[in-house]
């Protein structure tokens, strides 16, 4: 026997198949609407997840909920005890550590329930905020304005803020919070209810990890082995292949510096690798050559930042790079007064995917003569985007006079110097350095011939120049939607 929902669905299907001619359709709309609504009503809907307010009042768990209502109430009570008004900071920290111990043993979905409690049960008091805001607006321009502002600020401090502050009290509390956010971040897109907790953590981290509380340290071959292992683990630009590779990067003509926080001892938050040279570097290969003889640092005039790596996913959105480069430049200048040039040798990780989408538009910028030259080079006239992209897969084989090579350089310059979605450079590395006040200085063909370099940018690398006297000017230009660049890059952008 067929079920009623299946019978209704089949009947509706037959009615639609045998629909009358166009002139009679209008008369059947009400009937079809009733049938469509009937089908919609009988098709099971995916239930919306219950919020913690509803779950705390329930007696049984539902569907995929991890913690039972009873366990959820118990966890909420433990969290509330952490921020109880009569509890001291030290005792609150001890209670927070007990919750962290539970968290360490919890399943991922149970941890998610704790995040939801922190979001929904420790939110600011909306009525208190509304009242404080009205008082502040009424007091504007009067002698009561200052006190009204204080009240407004206090109303904005949520119980969640105090809760997270208590977690930061116990010895491993900062590590716990940073790791918690690293685990939380991938879940935000799928569950917007978690956004308040992320925003609160990012705000607190921006204060707790302010550069005023960080220490710049040089890392050398004499550093503890546990710290050197962290460099190998966290290196994000050019993988460290071996201990010999690491030793080369810490040789006499190299420097490596990292920012450290007192609550995360032995853990670099970000580190930069520097090569001391007599000119701007155009290729990463000699810098990573373990057999190369060290440069005479007494003759060095140029510092090349060839790798900058953030190490803590949980600190995403907290910026260290600008301050790190400034501090490193000051440190290097004090040690090596002959240094005059500070630049990077950087990858262009977004170039290949960007060109895959915009190759056609870039071809349209070519005049007839250039398009014909390119067509002859790729074997198709007129050349299409697919022809150009196929030819670029063999970029390492192109000679200096190849039209394909010239087009790629122009595309890369345009990508770095003109592509500004939402007013910011499209390439993530460009966004970092240009935001710090650097300018796009030079493109380097075959700068990274590794498989990774070819996959990212057909082997191209770029130098960003840090002109210490023009950093503010460059930031100002970028804020106006103009990328600071050298004449060479400007010429390539024009094509």
């Amino acid at each position: 026997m067929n079920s009623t929902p299946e019978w209704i669905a089949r009947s509706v299907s037959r009615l639609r198949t045998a629909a009358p001619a166009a002139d009679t359709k209008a008369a059947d709309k009400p009937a079809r609407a009733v049938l469509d609504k009937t089908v919609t009503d009988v098709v099971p809907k995916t239930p919306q997840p219950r919020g913690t307010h509803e779950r705390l009042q329930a007696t049984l768990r539902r569907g995929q909920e991890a913690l039972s209502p009873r366990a959820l109430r118990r966890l909420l009570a433990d969290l509330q005890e952490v921020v109880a008004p009569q509890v001291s900071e030290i005792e609150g920290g001890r209670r927070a550590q007990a919750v962290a111990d539970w968290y360490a043993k919890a399943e991922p979905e149970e941890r998610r329930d704790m995040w939801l409690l922190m979001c929904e049960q420790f939110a600011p008091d909306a009525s208190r905020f509304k009242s404080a805001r009205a008082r502040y607006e009424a007091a504007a321009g009067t002698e009561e304005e200052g006190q009204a502002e204080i009240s407004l600020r206090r109303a904005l401090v949520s119980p969640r803020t105090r809760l997270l502050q208590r977690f930061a009290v116990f010895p491993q509390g900062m590590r716990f919070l940073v790791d918690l956010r690293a685990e939380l971040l991938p879940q935000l897109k799928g569950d917007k209810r978690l956004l308040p907790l992320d925003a609160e953590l990012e705000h607190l981290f921006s204060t707790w990890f302010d550069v005023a509380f960080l220490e710049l340290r040089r890392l050398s071959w004499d550093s503890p082995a546990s710290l050197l292992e962290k460099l190998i683990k966290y290196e994000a630009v050019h993988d460290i292949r071996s201990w010999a590779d690491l030793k080369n990067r810490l040789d006499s003509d190299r420097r490596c510096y990292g920012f450290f926080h007192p609550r995360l001892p032995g853990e670099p938050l970000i580190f930069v690798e520097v090569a001391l040279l007599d000119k701007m570097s155009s290729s990463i290969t000699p810098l990573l050559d373990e057999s190369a003889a060290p440069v005479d640092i007494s003759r060095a005039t140029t510092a090349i930042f060839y790798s900058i790596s953030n190490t803590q996913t949980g600190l995403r959105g907290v910026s260290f790079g600008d301050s790190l480069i400034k501090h490193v430049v000051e440190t290097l200048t004090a040690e090596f007064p002959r240094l005059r040039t500070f630049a990077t040798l950087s990858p262009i990780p977004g170039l290949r995917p960007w060109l895959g989408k915009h190759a056609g538009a870039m071809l349209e910028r070519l005049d007839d003569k250039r398009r014909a030259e390119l067509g002859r080079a790729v074997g198709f006239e007129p050349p299409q985007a697919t022809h150009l992209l196929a030819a670029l897969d063999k970029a390492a084989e192109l000679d200096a006079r190849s039209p394909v090579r010239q087009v790629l350089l122009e595309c890369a310059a345009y990508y770095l110097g003109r592509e500004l979605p939402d007013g910011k450079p499209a390439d993530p590395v460009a966004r970092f350095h240009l935001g710090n006040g650097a300018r796009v200085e030079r493109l380097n063909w075959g700068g990274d011939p590794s498989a990774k370099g070819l996959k990212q940018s057909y082997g191209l690398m770029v130098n960003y120049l840090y002109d210490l006297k023009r950093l503010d000017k460059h930031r100002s230009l970028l804020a106006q939607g103009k990328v600071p660049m050298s004449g060479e890059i400007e010429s390539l952008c024009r094509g």
Side-chain angles (χ1 to χ4, degrees), residues 13-35:
S13 176
R14 284 198 298 269
L15 282 170
R16 287 176 172 165
T17 303
D23 60 340
T24 62
K25 282 184 179 179
D28 287 343
K29 280 184 180 179
R32 280 210 310 275
V34 171
L35 287 169

Side-chain angles (χ1 to χ4, degrees), residues 82-83 88-90 92-94 96-97 118 157-171 173-174 176-177 197 200-201 203-205 207-208 263:
V82 172
V83 292
S88 68
E89 291 289 330
I90 299 301
R94 188 190 67 77
Q97 184 165 11
M118 297 171 86
V157 177
S158 68
R160 190 187 309 114
T161 299
R162 293 193 292 273
L163 179 64
L164 296 174
Q165 288 170 337
R166 292 286 172 88
F167 273 96
V169 170
F170 66 91
M174 195 69 77
F176 169 78
L177 291 176
L197 177 57
E200 197 98 54
L201 283 167
H203 174 71
L204 288 171
F205 287 160
T207 300
W208 291 341
R263 296 304 300 272

Side-chain angles (χ1 to χ4, degrees), residues 179-349:
D179 289 345
L180 184 152
R181 185 167 184 248
E183 188 179 2
L184 172 72
L185 284 170
Q187 309 301 321
L188 297 178
K189 190 173 182 180
D191 194 342
K192 303 301 183 184
R193 296 176 298 172
L194 301 174
L195 288 172
L197 177 57
D198 174 62
E200 197 98 54
L201 283 167
E202 183 177 350
H203 174 71
L204 288 171
F205 287 160
S206 66
T207 300
W208 291 341
F209 290 89
D210 184 83
V211 65
F213 305 119
L214 304 181
E215 177 189 359
L216 182 72
R217 295 187 210 162
R218 179 184 169 190
L219 294 85
S220 71
W221 188 245
D222 296 325
S223 297
S226 59
L227 185 52
L228 297 181
E229 289 174 349
K230 299 282 177 62
L231 298 184
I232 296 175
K233 175 183 177 181
Y234 292 128
E235 166 60 50
V237 184
H238 304 290
D239 292 341
I240 299 176
R241 303 178 299 274
S242 64
W243 285 98
D245 184 4
L246 177 60
K247 187 174 183 179
N248 173 58
R249 301 189 194 201
L250 300 174
D251 211 340
S252 60
D253 60 341
R254 305 296 178 86
R255 292 294 183 269
C256 181
Y257 298 95
F259 265 152
F260 292 79
H261 191 279
R263 296 304 300 272
L264 294 176
E267 191 82 27
L269 306 178
I270 183 173
F271 61 89
V272 58
E273 298 168 54
V274 187
L276 302 174
L277 305 168
D278 58 1
K279 61 181 178 180
M280 194 180 298
S281 180
S282 61
S283 172
I284 195 63
T285 302
L287 300 186
L288 302 182
D289 184 359
E290 298 168 26
S291 64
V295 173
D296 181 359
I297 56 176
S298 67
R299 302 174 63 86
T301 60
T302 303
I304 293 293
F305 304 96
Y306 64 93
S307 178
I308 301 177
S309 300
N310 285 291
T311 69
Q312 307 298 313
T313 303
L315 294 180
R316 192 178 75 185
V318 181
S319 177
F320 307 113
D322 181 15
S323 298
L324 175 67
I325 290 174
K326 283 183 178 178
H327 281 63
V328 169
V329 167
E330 291 172 359
T331 302
L332 289 172
T333 303
E335 185 178 0
F336 303 101
R338 288 172 55 92
L339 291 179
R340 294 290 180 269
T341 303
F342 299 90
T344 77
L345 181 62
S346 300
I348 317 174

Side-chain angles (χ1 to χ4, degrees), residues 23 78 113 131 150 226 257 286 367 369 381 421 429 463-464 478:
D23 60 340
D78 290 341
D113 278 349
S131 175
I150 292 173
S226 59
Y257 298 95
D367 59 30
K369 180 181 178 182
E381 294 188 54
V429 177
N463 299 118
Y464 296 102
L478 188 63

